[in-house]
Amino acid sequence: MENKKITAKDLINIGIFAAIYFVVLFVVAMIGFFPPFMVALCFICPIATGIPFMLYMTKVHTFGQLTIFGVVMGLANMLIGDQWITLAFAVICGLLADLICLSGKYRSGSLAVLGYAVFSIWTFGKMLPLFIMRDSYFQAMGQGYGKEYAEAVLKLTSNWVFPIILVSGFIGGLIGAFIGRAVLKKHFERAGIA
Amino acid sequence: MNTFLHTTAGKRHLRLDPRTKFALILCTSFTLVWGMSLIGVMAVVRPALAFVPAILLLFTPRLRVGIVYGILEILCFTAEITVFQSTTGFWNLILLPVCAIITRYMPCVVAAYYMMATTTVSEFIAGMERMNVTQKIVIPLSVMFRFFPTIVREHRCINDAMRMRNITASNPVSMLEYRIVPLIAAVAKIGDELSAAALTRGFGGDVKRSNVCEIGFGVQDIIILLISFGGAFTSILAKVGLI
């Protein structure tokens, strides 16, 4: 099984699960427009997307499958209005997750959990402009969304929140992965899908 | 019967090249999401770009979506110009995000909707191949676009079944379990069948596949491309402070 090249079936699988993942993510991310929830998004999204992704993990057995998933996710998010930085972040997280799973030869369950948690950090890329391009971002936001909204977001995103969001993405990923695995055991393995 | 998101390509609409649609979506998202407020040139550029998908939708069988979306945009842009300055506090915090979603994010989503509703998978693949994108990205992306309508349809059926069994939103955990799990199971099964079907048609072979779709740029493409790139360019200039 090792060193196999990515087949057409793998690519189709990526598409299918990327579609489900994206739909779940999109629905959950809708609540993120309101300032109090915005910072929690990195934590909530991975929990919700854990179920489809852990099922996808059972079909991953070649290096590159998670990286391509990241690329597809990044591109799809760019189409609905994210910056290029999301794509870069998604690719990096996908690659890291791929490397983690590769170290267990794509058979280890616990490494799959870890891999998903690492992959989940990519949602952070969606928020990265908040921190890197802070000044111009809030200037634009203050003009576009109004001063009060910008200030509410600004208050919630002072610099010390930066690492917390990163870690919360990782923890959300872990929780999501465990939920996903529980659901996998309860439903999918019995149905013969996983 | 028309189902949500199902492609109606070729029936009655203005034919655009898939690459034009890509450019439109990317420029729309770039200009609207990160664009400045409605001052100076941006007062023209932002609404103009936001209305492009609405106008394009008028040429498809999805007339209604285009009209509803157009009216929403008019309302929210008017609100952004008039009401925002005078409201403060709570209402400002509620109204602003809602209008921001509609004037900034919705155009991208509607443009993406337009692309999905009017592009067949073959056209999509042909367009991507002309741009020399590798197969490893073209296949997942095209499968993904093929699957959005499937997911919506499956979701509706599951929704009906669950409502009949009285599993509603009142219990989030059971809703998650009884909605998402069957959805994933159904879609995974459909996906298996799809990949079997694709393999029998020579997907993933070593030979380069041919494509019957004729794509190319026409007058309408040039107009849309000019609007999109012009909008993105002016928004960059406005951001730098040149205009």
Side-chain angles (χ1 to χ4, degrees), chain B residues 136-241:
Chain B
K136 291 198 168 92
I137 293 174
V138 176
I139 298 175
L141 269 183
S142 50
V143 171
M144 198 170 147
F145 284 116
R146 150 85 172 67
F147 256 79
F148 284 132
T150 313
I151 290 179
V152 172
R153 212 170 42 221
E154 290 294 318
H155 171 75
R156 283 202 180 149
C157 297
I158 291 167
N159 217 359
D160 287 346
M162 291 307 155
R163 206 179 306 140
M164 209 155 75
R165 295 172 57 194
N166 208 12
I167 298 167
T168 48
S170 56
N171 187 347
V173 177
S174 72
M175 195 186 89
L176 201 73
E177 194 174 345
Y178 293 118
R179 300 263 164 108
I180 291 192
V181 170
L183 186 67
I184 294 170
V187 174
K189 270 273 186 290
I190 296 171
D192 282 345
E193 281 155 22
L194 179 78
S195 40
L199 289 178
T200 54
R201 291 183 204 171
F203 231 59
D206 299 326
V207 192
K208 194 177 184 309
R209 299 178 82 242
S210 55
N211 200 318
V212 291
C213 286
E214 280 176 21
I215 57 167
F217 295 110
V219 185
Q220 67 274 36
D221 290 289
I222 293 167
I223 296 170
I224 299 291
L225 281 175
L226 276 179
I227 296 176
S228 344
F229 283 119
F233 194 63
T234 14
S235 89
I236 292 173
L237 286 183
K239 215 168 220 174
V240 182

Side-chain angles (χ1 to χ4, degrees), chain A residues 40-88:
Chain A
L41 265 194
C42 276
F43 181 67
I44 299 170
C45 283
I47 295 180
T49 51
I51 301 173
F53 202 87
M54 289 319 278
L55 181 59
Y56 174 60
M57 279 292 202
T58 63
K59 299 182 192 277
V60 171
H61 50 74
T62 320
F63 182 75
Q65 273 178 291
L66 295 174
T67 316
I68 295 177
F69 196 95
V71 174
V72 170
M73 226 3 91
L75 284 175
N77 271 286
M78 265 178 81
L79 285 187
I80 59 158
D82 276 5
Q83 294 295 69
W84 56 271
I85 211 160
T86 310
L87 177 63

